[in-house]
Amino acid sequence: VSGERDNAAFYIADERARCIVTPRSTLAENPVLNGFYDASVFAEAKSAVVAREARLDRRLDLPRVLLINPCVLENFPVPRLCLSVGLVASYLRSNHAADVRVEDMQVGTTAEEIADRALRFRPEMVGMSISYGQKWVGLATLDRLLEALRGIDVAPLPVLGNIIPASYPEEFTRGYPGLVVAHGEGEETAVGLAEYLRGRRELKDVPGIAFRNESDTLVYSPGVQVEMEKIPLPALDTIRDIARCGGAVTLELSRGCQWNVCTFCPREHKSSVWKSMPTPQMIDQIGRLVDVCERFGIRKHIYLADEEFIGGLNDQTETERVCEFADRIVEHGWGIQFDPAARVDQVYSPKQTDEWHVKRLAMWLKVRDAGMYRLFMGLESGSNTQLKRYGKGIKVEHSIRAVRLLSALGIRLRFGFITFDPLMQGLRELKENLRTLGRTDAAMDPTELGSYSLEELFHLLTRGDEFARAHATGRPVYEGVSYMMSPIEVLIGSPYARMVENYERKTGRELFKNKDQPDTNMGRFSIEYVDPLVGALSDSAQRWIDRHFSVAYTTKSLHKVASDDERALLMTWMVEYRRVCYQLLNAFVMIFDDDPWSLWNDEARLLSDTVVTRVESLRLLRARGVWPTSRLIEECLEVFDDCVARLNRPLEVGLSSGALNDNAGRLADALSDWQARRGQWRLINDPSRQAVRPARTPQAVATS
C-alpha cells in the first residue's frame, strides 16, 4: 500500500505481474507509476495489470519512517491535532515516499510505548518535531528509542526539526552522531531524506537540512518553498485518542507573515513570504475535518494555526479571497466555528482609505457570519515607545480603533500582549500598559449599533472618542488578554537580540547572561534588564505565570471543546483570573512608584479590605526601606495567590458536581498540583534546573 486518502494505491503481486488499484484517483495521477509509464497508457483507468519489473519493485520498497511529536503533559494537558509531524506524514504518504507511523505524546503515549512499537516497526528514519519547551522530553524519548533499536541491523537515521533544532543545529548534531536537522519547511525535506535512504540522492542534495560531513564540518543545504496547493490534510492517525482526551482540531491554511519584521519573532526557520492555499483547497480540508468531528464526537470548532489569516499586500485581493472563503463555508451549512489570527492593521490602518476600511468591515462581517468564534489580535503593548521597539508598525490608538470596529460588529476578540522587555527604563511604560489594559472605551456594545451603516460606523468610531464612550460595554481591554504579565522572550535569531547587542555596544554594559550558551530548550537568551527594578518585576511576573500556567492553560483548552454551559463557567474563571493579574500589576506600581498611582484606587474598590491593607502596608515598608525589593515582591505575590485560591473553588465545585466535563481528569490534576505547590514560585522552563546531557556514543547510521 502507498499514498494517503485521495491517492492511495494497492499493489497485488505474484511471480509474473503486479495488479495496481487506485480507488480514489486514476492511475495516471499516481506519482509512483509516473516514473515508469506514459500516463496516456492508463487514460482514466483506476486499475491495471503490469508485468513484473525490478525498478518498480524497488520504488515500492518504501522506507519505514517513524515521526514523533513530544509533549510535556504537565504544561500542555489538552491535546490538539498535531500539525508539525502530521503534515510531514501526510506529505510523505501523498507522494508515495514512505511507510509512515505517527506517535503523539500529547495523548499520553509514553517513551516506553513508543520504543516497544518501534521495535516491531523497525524504522529506518526517526523524525521528531521539537518546539519551545519540548527539548528535554524529546531527547529523553529519542535516547530511549535509539537504545531500544540498538540491536537492529542498521540504526535509524535521526532527524530533528522545528524551531529549537533549527535555531541551534550545532548542539544537536554534536549530541547525536549522524543526526540531521531540518531547518525550514519540512515536507520536501522529508521526501528528500526518504529518497536518500533508498540511494536515489546524496545527503548533501536533500533540501533544507544541516548535518556534519566526514570532516565534522556542519553543512547546510538550502531549503525550498513548499507549494501550498500540494499540502494535504494533516495525518489523522491519533484522532481517536484526541477525541478520547477531549482535544481539539487544528488546521493551517496559510504560512508566513506579510509583515515579517516584529523584533521578537525569529523568521529564519519559517516561510519568508506569506502564502495561502487556494479557496477550494481550504474548503475541502475544512469539510474533511467536519466529517472527522462528526464521526468521532469532537466539537466542530477549528483552531487555525496560521500566523496571519488575512495576509496579502493590502491590495484588496485578500479581501476578496477571504470573502469568497466565508461565502463557501456559509453555502455548505456545516455549522462550524473557527478561530483565526490577524494583525491590527488588517482591521484599521491610517495608511488605508475610507473605502478600504468599509470593504474590510464588510469582509469581517462575512467571516463572523461564516462561523468565526473569536479573532486573535496581537496588540502586544499599550505603550507607543515599546511598540516601536517591538517593530509592530502600529500605535496604541490604532489598536483601540481596531478593537472598537470589530467589537461593534459583534466579533469576540482575544489579544496578545508583551508587558515587559529588557530595554524598559523606569515604570513609565508599565504604567502606560496598565492604562491601555484598563481602558473601558474600547469594547463596543453591538446591540446599540445595529442601525448604523458600515460607513457611518467607521467614521463615528475613528473620528474621536465621544461616540465610542457613549456606546462602550465598559469591559476593560485586559479581559481579552490571556497572559498579560508576559515578559518578552529574547529568542535566538530574533531582531530583538540584535537590539540588545546594539545597546551593549553603545553603552559598554553587558546584558547577555548566556550568549555563548543560550537556553536551547526554549530557544532564548537570558538577558539582564537595563532597569533592575523592572527586571525584578518581570521575573516575578514570569514566576506568577508559571505558578498558575497549568490551571490557566487547561481551563483555556477545555473552553475550546466545552458545551455552552461549561464555557460560561470556564470563561468566568478566565476573566476573573485576568482581573487578578491586572490588579497585581497595579499593586507592583502602587508599591514601587514614588508618585501616587490613580489606577490603584479604581481597582482597590474591587478588592477585599484585607488585600488593600496588605498592599498598602507593603508600600509603607518599601518607603521606610525595611524590606528588600525581593521580599516585597514575594509578599505581594502571596497576597494575590490567595485571590486565585478563591477563584479556583467554583472550578472544584463544578468538577465534583459534574457541571464540568473533565473526562481525562486533567483539570482536576492541575488544580490538585496547584494546591500542592502553594508558596512555590519556580519557573517551568528554568535552564538552571536542566541537567547537561552527555554526548552519545557513535552508532551506525543508515546510508545509501
Side-chain angles (χ1 to χ4, degrees):
V1 179
S2 68
E4 50 91 45
R5 191 183 102 153
D6 278 351
N7 69 356
F10 303 88
Y11 307 87
I12 304 158
D14 67 12
E15 293 180 358
R16 296 175 300 167
R18 303 291 181 258
C19 176
I20 307 167
V21 181
T22 54
R24 288 181 172 162
S25 61
T26 67
L27 294 174
E29 297 172 291
N30 184 306
V32 174
L33 301 181
N34 284 340
F36 300 97
Y37 305 102
D38 183 349
S40 63
V41 172
F42 300 113
E44 296 299 312
K46 292 180 177 290
S47 64
V49 176
V50 299
R52 178 177 180 179
E53 186 175 346
R55 288 192 311 145
L56 178 59
D57 287 356
R58 286 196 298 270
R59 175 64 178 83
L60 291 175
D61 178 22
L62 301 177
R64 296 179 301 280
V65 174
L66 174 62
L67 299 176
I68 303 170
N69 181 45
C71 180
V72 180
L73 280 179
E74 177 186 355
N75 298 339
F76 303 99
V78 179
R80 301 183 186 188
L81 179 62
C82 179
L83 297 182
S84 53
V85 299
L87 285 168
V88 171
S90 282
Y91 199 81
L92 282 168
R93 289 168 177 163
S94 65
N95 283 275
H96 299 246
D99 180 10
V100 185
R101 300 292 184 274
V102 175
E103 297 283 4
D104 191 348
M105 299 180 78
Q106 288 187 102
V107 298
T109 303
T110 66
E112 290 297 325
E113 291 169 335
I114 294 173
D116 288 344
R117 288 196 281 265
L119 274 173
R120 296 191 293 274
F121 182 52
R122 299 171 70 86
E124 297 165 74
M125 182 171 86
V126 174
M128 183 178 290
S129 171
I130 300 182
S131 189
Y132 296 110
Q134 310 297 327
K135 170 185 169 181
W136 299 110
V137 67
L139 295 188
T141 301
L142 185 60
D143 286 344
R144 176 66 189 90
L145 180 61
L146 294 179
E147 183 65 30
L149 297 174
R150 187 180 290 274
I152 67 175
D153 296 338
V154 179
L157 175 69
V159 181
L160 301 181
N162 211 328
I163 177 64
I164 295 300
S167 297
Y168 219 66
E170 294 88 350
E171 173 186 329
F172 291 93
T173 54
R174 286 207 181 279
Y176 292 84
L179 181 138
V180 172
V181 168
H183 59 72
E185 295 179 275
E187 288 86 356
E188 284 295 328
T189 297
V191 170
L193 287 169
E195 293 176 350
Y196 160 71
L197 290 173
R198 284 296 176 266
R200 293 198 291 274
R201 70 164 77 191
E202 294 185 28
L203 187 60
K204 65 180 178 62
D205 296 325
V206 175
I209 63 171
F211 66 97
R212 293 192 179 276
N213 62 15
E214 294 81 358
S215 60
D216 200 37
T217 301
L218 190 61
V219 177
Y220 291 82
S221 66
V224 295
Q225 289 286 326
V226 179
E227 297 176 35
M228 294 300 293
E229 294 84 349
K230 296 181 179 179
I231 299 293
L233 191 72
L236 300 173
D237 300 44
T238 60
I239 197 67
R240 291 180 186 274
D241 292 320
I242 289 171
R244 171 179 56 81
C245 296
V249 291
T250 52
L251 198 59
E252 183 180 52
L253 303 177
S254 67
R255 290 183 181 178
C257 174
Q258 80 285 357
W259 184 246
N260 235 11
V261 293
C262 294
T263 60
F264 48 78
C265 185
R267 301 300 309 170
E268 291 180 2
H269 74 292
K270 299 180 180 181
S271 175
S272 58
V273 295
W274 184 88
K275 55 187 180 181
S276 173
M277 292 179 180
T279 300
Q281 183 181 0
M282 294 182 186
I283 300 303
D284 174 69
Q285 294 201 3
I286 288 175
R288 295 191 192 190
L289 276 189
V290 170
D291 292 343
V292 167
C293 290
E294 291 175 345
R295 177 176 177 182
F296 293 99
I298 300 172
R299 189 182 183 99
K300 291 190 291 186
H301 194 141
I302 300 172
Y303 294 87
L304 299 180
D306 307 42
E307 288 187 81
E308 222 292 342
F309 175 64
I310 308 299
L313 301 172
N314 281 337
D315 58 1
Q316 293 294 9
T317 57
E318 63 279 286
T319 305
E320 296 165 4
R321 177 185 61 82
V322 174
C323 286
E324 181 189 5
F325 167 80
D327 289 340
R328 297 293 84 76
I329 289 181
V330 171
E331 288 173 5
H332 282 281
W334 286 316
I336 65 166
Q337 294 176 324
F338 57 93
D339 285 20
R343 283 177 51 85
V344 165
D345 51 18
Q346 297 285 21
V347 182
Y348 175 81
S349 171
K351 298 177 182 178
Q352 299 297 333
T353 65
D354 290 4
E355 179 186 9
W356 180 93
H357 283 98
V358 173
K359 287 184 177 180
R360 192 51 66 95
L361 289 177
M363 178 201 77
W364 286 115
L365 269 180
K366 281 180 174 285
V367 176
R368 181 202 69 183
D369 294 342
M372 181 173 68
Y373 179 76
R374 187 169 54 182
L375 177 71
F376 177 87
M377 280 200 305
L379 305 187
E380 310 308 359
S381 175
S383 165
N384 284 329
T385 51
Q386 197 173 41
L387 283 170
K388 186 175 181 180
R389 283 201 301 279
Y390 292 167
K392 291 298 295 180
I394 58 173
K395 294 185 176 180
V396 173
E397 261 328 291
H398 303 167
S399 296
I400 296 299
R401 289 175 182 177
V403 173
R404 286 173 175 172
L405 290 168
L406 290 177
S407 59
L409 301 180
I411 293 173
R412 298 181 185 90
L413 298 169
R414 186 166 67 90
F415 309 124
F417 211 86
I418 306 172
T419 303
F420 297 97
D421 76 281
L423 299 180
M424 294 174 76
Q425 299 190 47
L427 297 179
R428 175 183 60 82
E429 290 176 327
L430 175 58
K431 292 160 73 174
E432 290 173 350
N433 279 330
L434 289 170
R435 288 192 182 96
T436 299
L437 289 166
R439 285 185 67 162
T440 56
D441 63 345
M444 298 293 102
D445 185 350
T447 61
E448 298 181 1
L449 301 173
S451 61
Y452 294 93
S453 68
L454 295 180
E455 292 86 350
E456 290 171 327
L457 272 181
F458 172 70
H459 286 286
L460 290 168
L461 292 174
T462 60
R463 305 291 196 271
D465 296 330
E466 185 176 347
F467 180 84
R469 292 193 182 111
H471 295 278
T473 62
R475 288 174 29 240
V477 172
Y478 67 71
E479 287 192 2
V481 180
S482 297
Y483 304 109
M484 78 185 70
M485 298 179 68
S486 298
I488 194 172
E489 299 277 10
V490 183
L491 300 175
I492 299 168
S494 68
Y496 195 94
R498 294 193 290 274
M499 292 172 65
V500 175
E501 291 175 342
N502 290 337
Y503 179 88
E504 288 183 328
R505 281 194 293 270
K506 290 179 180 178
T507 64
R509 179 178 172 185
E510 189 172 312
L511 298 183
F512 281 95
K513 298 179 182 179
N514 61 343
K515 191 170 185 179
D516 294 331
Q517 292 184 313
D519 175 5
T520 53
N521 179 46
M522 293 300 294
R524 66 189 176 190
F525 295 106
S526 179
I527 305 293
E528 180 181 338
Y529 274 57
V530 170
D531 186 314
L533 173 60
V534 177
L537 296 178
S538 174
D539 178 74
S540 67
Q542 186 62 63
R543 292 177 187 276
W544 171 272
I545 291 170
D546 289 2
R547 160 88 176 104
H548 305 292
F549 182 81
S550 185
V551 175
Y553 185 86
T554 306
T555 302
K556 185 162 69 80
S557 298
L558 287 177
H559 181 269
K560 298 178 186 300
V561 295
S563 67
D564 290 340
D565 289 342
E566 291 172 318
R567 278 186 166 184
L569 177 57
L570 294 167
M571 180 54 74
T572 297
W573 185 93
M574 287 190 282
V575 169
E576 290 304 312
Y577 172 69
R578 292 164 190 172
R579 182 187 302 279
V580 171
C581 294
Y582 178 73
Q583 290 165 339
L584 172 58
L585 288 173
N586 274 286
F588 283 163
V589 176
M590 177 66 180
I591 294 167
F592 292 103
D593 192 31
D594 293 327
D595 298 324
W597 182 231
S598 59
L599 289 185
W600 173 252
N601 296 327
D602 297 334
E603 290 305 309
R605 293 183 290 101
L606 304 173
L607 295 166
S608 68
D609 291 341
T610 302
V611 172
V612 172
T613 300
R614 290 174 70 183
V615 170
E616 292 180 350
S617 68
L618 291 174
R619 176 177 173 83
L620 290 175
L621 288 169
R622 180 256 174 185
R624 295 170 184 168
V626 176
W627 284 355
T629 297
S630 59
R631 184 172 178 185
L632 291 168
I633 290 175
E634 186 170 341
E635 289 293 327
C636 189
L637 292 176
E638 294 292 345
V639 169
F640 286 89
D641 200 52
D642 291 340
C643 297
V644 178
R646 289 190 288 273
L647 291 184
N648 288 347
R649 287 171 194 152
L651 294 181
E652 295 164 350
V653 171
L655 290 173
S656 61
S657 67
L660 278 177
N661 179 25
D662 185 27
N663 60 359
R666 291 178 174 178
L667 180 57
D669 289 345
L671 288 167
S672 175
D673 185 63
W674 185 93
Q675 185 62 37
R677 293 183 178 178
R678 290 296 299 268
Q680 299 178 28
W681 297 97
R682 67 180 183 85
L683 295 171
I684 291 175
N685 294 299
D686 184 354
S688 67
R689 299 173 61 236
Q690 306 289 356
V692 177
R693 187 187 161 281
R696 292 181 55 83
T697 55
Q699 282 186 273
V701 175
T703 67
S704 59

